[in-house]
Amino acid sequence: MEKFEIHGGRRLNGTIKISGAKNAAVAIIPAVILSDGICRIENLPDINDVVAIAQILKKMGASVKRIDKTTLEIDSKGIRNPVADYDLVRHMRASSYLMGALLGQFHRAEVALPGGCDFGVRPVDQHLKGFGILGAKHTVEGGMIKINADSLVGDHVYLDVVSVGATVNIMLAAVKAKGRTTIENAAKEPHIVDLANFLNSMGADVRGAGTDVIKINGVDFLRGTTYSIIPDQIEAGTYMAAAASAGGDVTLLNVIPKHLESITAKLREMGVSVEENDESVRVVCSDRLKRCNVKTMPHPGFPTDMQPQIAALLATANGTSIIHEAVWDNRFKYVEELRRMGAEINVDGKIAVVEGVDRLKGAPVKATDLRAGAAMIVAALGAEGVTYVEDITHIDRGYEHVVEKLTGVGADIKRIFTNDNVTNTA
Ligand code: EPZ
């Protein structure tokens, strides 16, 4: 079994280069299905979710060439059968974007009901509502969602909840539909804007991305393109939290500070110094953090994907903090693991009350999902003693070269392989 072994208590100093955004990449790669040309996607993160979604396209018949570690060249004209591989799809939430892309290009799609992180129900009712309004019908048979449309005609979709996935999927189904589609109550995350910019670089007509009203005028043809993915807002936020946890002076390169505003504001409220430059942020922290309250909200609010990481910081802040997880039903599973390190956190539904303790102590913990795993690393870097993080495949899904990036700023973290009583170090 692979684990991270982390010896806490070392201050972090130096620079970390942030990679391309996972949640933009896993939306833009399926969107290539809509192209009638060849697409070159650059600044992709070197993570398992990107490998997985590219493999699904390849299995359907697309040509996928890896130009280098962060660049793929994809020609999807080889896709003849819009059916995504059941086993490959069911383990990855973002594969739900194949529904919108296949429907938009072929007016037909067969995709497994999505899997993904294990924190509460992850419905797709709003996705299917949007497809229905455009003229599609769906059934669920044998774990597969089967969607068909004689034709797709633009219309007005009002989302009942702000949903990143539904906004993405309806955009993908609408870009080649007849006429205009309006999505109201749309998600405004940076990766929604990135997807719109990618689609428009192919000749689509998508306006208003980044606001809660997106208007799409359908087109018949989408050319090939070359496109570079935006930097990852959540990866950057995670390393900002790591610097605050361990203490030190860390500069993150290749970021868009505007995408980090809510994270920066919260860290400053906790007493962390954050200096914003054109394409970098510098995080300096040496004192004990101050308590604060956090409520997760759709962008531009505080991102739910940073909630576990900020909880790991508040676990040793001076005072009592309240965390309100307002996006997901059950995103506090990681709290049990932080408790093993001495955290004093009580969870009641969507609210967690965090009593700051002086210091956490290293312990064997599990990554219960991608961002929970990131939170274990953040906690371990500031803890006393050694922490072993298990189930790190979750972390490898969404964080590129995490050991190299952290050792590059002085952290003591290594990937170890344990089988029975023998422990080998990578
Ligand atoms: C995306 O998930 C992200 N995943 C998640 O990041 C992120 O937590 C989430 O957006 C919120 O920002 C990707 O981009 C691949 P939603 P998604 O649809 O699209 C409810 C990570 O760590 N809802 O915005 O699945 C839903 O239950 C991952 O990178 C419906 O009710 O999230 C939730 O309460 C974890 N019906 C809320 O909306 C629907 O049809 C937001 O979900 C869809 C969603």
Side-chain angles (χ1 to χ4, degrees):
M1 174 201 291
E2 280 188 318
K3 296 179 186 177
F4 287 142
E5 178 182 313
I6 302 165
H7 292 261
R10 298 182 46 155
R11 293 173 65 77
L12 305 183
N13 287 287
T15 61
I16 296 176
K17 183 177 177 299
I18 296 303
S19 305
K22 167 181 88 80
N23 291 347
V26 297
I28 286 170
I29 292 173
V32 170
I33 291 170
L34 293 156
S35 177
D36 302 298
I38 295 174
C39 294
R40 188 184 177 98
I41 316 291
E42 300 172 342
N43 198 37
L44 285 164
D46 183 13
I47 57 175
N48 292 346
D49 266 12
V50 165
V51 171
I53 201 84
Q55 199 184 350
I56 293 169
L57 262 65
K58 210 168 186 173
K59 192 121 193 223
M60 286 199 286
S63 145
V64 180
K65 280 189 208 131
R66 179 166 287 284
I67 307 301
D68 60 35
K69 241 170 24 100
T70 62
T71 308
L72 289 179
E73 192 171 84
I74 306 174
D75 179 352
S76 63
K77 289 195 292 299
I79 296 179
R80 290 280 173 274
N81 184 14
V83 178
D85 180 274
Y86 186 86
D87 287 331
L88 287 176
V89 161
R90 66 191 300 270
H91 296 297
M92 205 182 111
R93 170 79 189 169
S95 45
S96 66
Y97 298 150
L98 292 161
M99 294 193 289
L102 292 170
L103 181 65
Q105 181 69 338
F106 299 104
H107 291 181
R108 191 162 76 84
E110 285 191 29
V111 180
L113 273 162
C117 282
D118 179 19
F119 44 76
V121 179
R122 297 193 70 178
V124 289
D125 57 291
Q126 297 298 302
H127 305 229
L128 298 172
K129 168 182 165 178
F131 297 152
I133 289 171
L134 297 181
K137 298 205 177 336
H138 78 274
T139 58
V140 177
E141 293 166 34
M144 298 286 279
I145 297 182
K146 298 185 176 183
I147 313 168
N148 282 287
D150 295 333
S151 67
L152 292 170
V153 179
D155 205 330
H156 196 277
V157 181
Y158 198 101
L159 293 178
D160 300 336
V161 290
V162 177
S163 160
V164 168
T167 303
V168 167
N169 251 331
I170 297 162
M171 286 166 74
L172 296 176
V175 281
K176 286 185 151 180
K178 290 186 182 64
R180 165 173 284 196
T181 297
T182 302
I183 307 172
E184 297 246 23
N185 202 21
K188 300 181 270 193
E189 273 69 6
H191 30 288
I192 299 284
V193 178
D194 211 25
L195 173 64
N197 291 338
F198 170 71
L199 292 168
N200 288 340
S201 78
M202 294 197 287
D205 181 356
V206 181
R207 302 163 196 224
T211 75
D212 52 12
V213 181
I214 298 177
K215 295 186 190 305
I216 301 163
N217 293 310
V219 296
D220 296 329
F221 176 85
L222 291 177
R223 57 180 176 269
T225 186
T226 295
Y227 191 80
S228 184
I229 302 274
I230 54 169
D232 194 314
Q233 156 201 49
I234 304 301
E235 185 197 19
T238 300
Y239 287 118
M240 293 168 82
S245 175
D249 182 343
V250 175
T251 296
L252 303 182
L253 305 174
N254 186 37
V255 301
I256 298 173
K258 177 136 188 65
H259 292 172
L260 305 174
E261 279 179 344
S262 60
I263 301 166
T264 296
K266 198 47 75 177
L267 290 173
R268 283 174 175 160
E269 194 182 331
M270 295 166 71
V272 179
S273 157
V274 181
E275 180 190 310
E276 293 170 303
N277 302 301
D278 286 349
E279 295 181 347
S280 65
V281 288
R282 182 181 175 198
V283 179
V284 180
C285 186
S286 46
D287 306 323
R288 185 175 186 190
L289 298 175
K290 297 177 194 143
R291 50 85 44 214
C292 73
N293 294 335
V294 179
K295 179 175 182 179
T296 66
M297 293 293 282
H299 192 77
F302 189 84
T304 174
D305 292 347
M306 277 297 299
Q307 184 259 94
Q309 298 92 310
I310 212 83
L313 288 184
L314 292 171
T316 57
N318 188 8
T320 303
S321 304
I322 309 283
I323 301 175
H324 179 184
E325 172 52 62
V327 173
W328 293 105
D329 290 337
N330 171 20
R331 196 173 195 168
F332 287 118
K333 278 195 174 169
Y334 66 88
V335 167
E336 275 310 312
E337 300 304 310
L338 284 182
R339 283 205 188 103
R340 295 175 194 283
M341 300 176 73
E344 289 180 16
I345 305 178
N346 285 303
V347 175
D348 181 2
K350 293 190 161 207
I351 302 288
V353 178
V354 185
E355 304 289 347
V357 297
D358 288 343
R359 188 125 188 244
L360 295 179
K361 290 187 175 44
V365 293
K366 288 183 185 308
T368 51
D369 66 61
L370 167 60
R371 306 302 176 184
M376 297 305 121
I377 294 173
V378 168
L381 290 169
E384 185 186 320
V386 62
T387 298
Y388 292 96
V389 184
E390 293 181 16
D391 297 342
I392 57 175
T393 49
H394 287 298
I395 300 171
D396 289 335
R397 275 187 48 214
Y399 287 93
E400 177 187 283
H401 310 158
V402 62
V403 171
E404 295 78 1
K405 290 190 177 188
L406 282 173
T407 48
V409 289
D412 181 349
I413 174 174
K414 46 181 167 295
R415 185 184 292 264
I416 63 172
F417 302 86
T418 60
N419 43 16
D420 302 330
N421 2 342
V422 174
T423 296
N424 314 309
T425 302

